[in-house]
Amino acid sequence: MRVFPRYSSPSIAPVPRLRWRTVFGVWTIIGVLLVIQTYITAFGSLPVTLRGHGYTIAAQLARAWLWAALTPGVFWLRRYLAANHPHLAVRLALHLLAALAIFTFGNLLRLWTIYFAFGYFRPEDASPSFVLTQLDARSLIDLYLYALLVAVGYIADLMAQRRDDERREEMLRVQLAQAELAALRQQIQPHFLFNAHNAIAALIRERENDKAVEAITQLSALLRQLMEHAGRPEIELWRELDYAQAYLAIEKLRLEERLVTRFLVDDDCLDVMVPTLILQPIVENAVRHGIAQRRHPGTITLRARRAGLRLELEVTNDASEFAESTSRGRGVGLGSTRSRLERTFGRALHFDCAFNQDGRSRVTLSFPVRAPSTAPETAPA
């Protein structure tokens, strides 16, 4: 059974992983837009020298790249405040303080770095009066950028939480489907054993001791095969055919010449993976509600072939001469089999039952071909 990861607490929101190339690229684009905005709003007042143009471009790109470096910290602060301060007013006040701190120290660090790089720095540029003159209305763009970054972080976390919820819901749906399939499979196996033991008990009551011993031997061999593949939701078709043949062999000891079996199986579908114990309940249903109710010999025919990318299976049997018996031909095993297939293949499944039509009953099903997950074993001759 496939094991899925578990989460320690559904209340902890997943932290989306930051991609530095994406962060750097986005902020570089914003920096270019800021450069264009600067030239538009201050057209005619900017220096026309190459050095002056370089300073203007570097100043805005430095602002953008500074924010790129601050992005992880702002994202972390938003998550921290959301987790530790439930009151909106408190969070807004703390965000305002953080924005003002970045507004002040971020701009000073950016300006002093640019001044040093272009040779504009003077000792008086470190004075409080210079600091106040630089923190003018043009620098308010940093407050807007902080608000934008907080909003982007909130949206990114919200989307990550939504993806995590969807992923968790999908895992729960898969686990539920697996549990339902396992329950149905466990329902079929006791049902099969009950009927097999009834067949052996009937031989004993009829004092057919040799046949009863042979039937027990064949049932033991069949149970050994089932135990070898216990827990496997799917097996190769040829193994499933072996199960059906073993069950029919047990029934034939009881019904003798009243039961005739035919297997018409194409070689190219023997290694196709099918749900475990998917044929045996259908065959069992054909015996109990068809052949066993007849006064004359009857034939069960099992056909298997590939049709493109689908596997087609058909089980037909001569119906009972008693209409009321064949009308009851939908047993527990057949219903569970259909439910398992519907949960496994969904709308891709074609399943049809026709009972006592023109003296025959037929169960047909087809579903997409599933290749074996490992190297297939050689099917027995």
Side-chain angles (χ1 to χ4, degrees):
M1 180 180 293
R2 184 179 177 185
V3 179
F4 293 96
R6 299 180 61 186
Y7 294 88
S8 59
S9 173
S11 62
I12 299 176
V15 178
R17 182 179 179 182
L18 283 177
R19 295 180 174 86
W20 281 106
R21 291 184 179 179
T22 302
V23 172
F24 181 78
V26 170
W27 279 111
T28 299
I29 294 174
I30 294 176
V32 172
L33 294 176
L34 290 175
V35 171
I36 296 174
Q37 183 261 347
T38 301
Y39 274 98
I40 293 175
T41 56
F43 183 76
S45 61
L46 294 175
V48 295
T49 63
L50 182 61
R51 184 186 183 189
H53 289 302
Y55 172 84
T56 302
I57 295 173
Q60 297 303 333
L61 288 178
R63 169 179 271 131
W65 291 336
L66 177 62
W67 278 107
L70 292 172
T71 295
V74 175
F75 279 13
W76 174 86
L77 180 62
R78 192 208 66 79
R79 296 190 193 101
Y80 177 82
L81 294 180
N84 295 277
H85 297 280
H87 298 292
L88 179 61
V90 175
R91 294 203 302 271
L92 290 177
L94 293 175
H95 275 303
L96 180 60
L97 289 176
L100 290 174
I102 295 175
F103 168 73
T104 303
F105 297 105
N107 270 295
L108 290 177
L109 176 63
R110 178 178 64 89
L111 290 174
W112 287 338
T113 301
I114 296 299
Y115 281 2
F116 273 115
F118 284 86
Y120 291 151
F121 187 80
R122 298 169 302 173
E124 55 268 25
D125 291 339
S127 63
S129 59
F130 173 81
V131 171
L132 293 176
T133 58
Q134 295 302 313
L135 300 180
D136 55 12
R138 292 176 300 176
S139 298
L140 291 178
I141 185 66
D142 291 288
L143 299 180
Y144 303 142
L145 291 176
Y146 181 89
L148 175 64
L149 196 54
V150 169
V152 169
Y154 174 78
I155 295 173
D157 288 349
L158 192 64
M159 293 177 63
Q161 180 67 60
R162 181 176 179 180
R163 288 193 299 269
D164 183 72
D165 291 342
E166 292 175 350
R167 195 160 45 241
R168 191 177 306 167
E169 290 175 3
E170 181 63 24
M171 288 191 293
L172 290 175
R173 283 195 294 268
V174 172
Q175 290 175 334
L176 177 60
Q178 289 179 340
E180 291 174 344
L181 288 173
L184 289 168
R185 191 163 59 247
Q186 294 302 320
Q187 182 184 23
I188 286 175
Q189 290 174 353
H191 186 259
F192 155 66
L193 292 175
F194 174 78
N195 290 327
H197 282 106
N198 276 347
I200 296 172
L203 291 173
I204 295 174
R205 283 194 298 268
E206 296 170 3
R207 299 184 184 279
E208 298 284 354
N209 294 335
D210 292 340
K211 292 181 179 180
V213 171
E214 184 179 352
I216 292 174
T217 302
Q218 293 184 357
L219 178 59
S220 298
L222 176 58
L223 292 177
R224 189 177 299 111
Q225 293 182 50
L226 290 173
M227 289 177 64
E228 289 177 355
H229 304 101
R232 288 183 58 182
E234 293 183 342
I235 59 174
E236 297 87 345
L237 177 61
W238 67 266
R239 295 188 189 276
E240 188 67 22
L241 293 172
D242 279 353
Y243 296 160
Q245 286 179 324
Y247 170 77
L248 289 173
I250 296 173
E251 290 288 4
K252 190 169 180 61
L253 289 172
R254 179 172 66 95
L255 299 173
E256 297 182 332
E257 69 278 357
R258 290 167 55 196
L259 173 60
V260 180
T261 61
R262 297 171 61 205
F263 282 73
L264 306 176
V265 181
D266 293 345
D267 292 339
D268 61 350
C269 61
L270 288 174
D271 289 325
V272 172
M273 303 301 290
V274 298
T276 305
L277 282 182
I278 211 66
L279 279 178
Q280 186 275 329
I282 301 175
V283 172
E284 178 185 333
N285 189 80
V287 172
R288 292 190 64 211
H289 300 286
I291 306 302
Q293 305 296 328
R294 292 176 59 84
R295 291 172 295 184
H296 304 290
T299 301
I300 292 179
T301 303
L302 193 153
R303 293 183 174 86
R305 70 185 186 92
R306 292 184 64 159
L309 298 178
R310 298 182 67 84
L311 176 67
E312 295 182 352
L313 302 173
E314 180 184 84
V315 178
T316 60
N317 65 275
D318 294 325
S320 169
E321 296 92 340
F322 306 99
E324 64 275 11
S325 175
T326 57
S327 66
R328 295 184 288 105
R330 298 175 183 268
V332 173
L334 192 60
S336 297
T337 298
R338 182 166 192 162
S339 297
R340 286 178 61 201
L341 288 169
E342 287 175 346
R343 284 170 170 79
T344 302
F345 298 102
R347 295 183 178 180
L349 171 70
H350 295 161
F351 194 106
D352 183 62
C353 300
F355 297 105
N356 199 21
Q357 293 187 356
D358 298 327
R360 297 185 67 80
S361 296
R362 178 181 292 103
V363 176
T364 58
L365 56 146
S366 71
F367 45 81
V369 169
R370 296 191 179 190
S373 56
T374 58
E377 301 180 23
T378 304

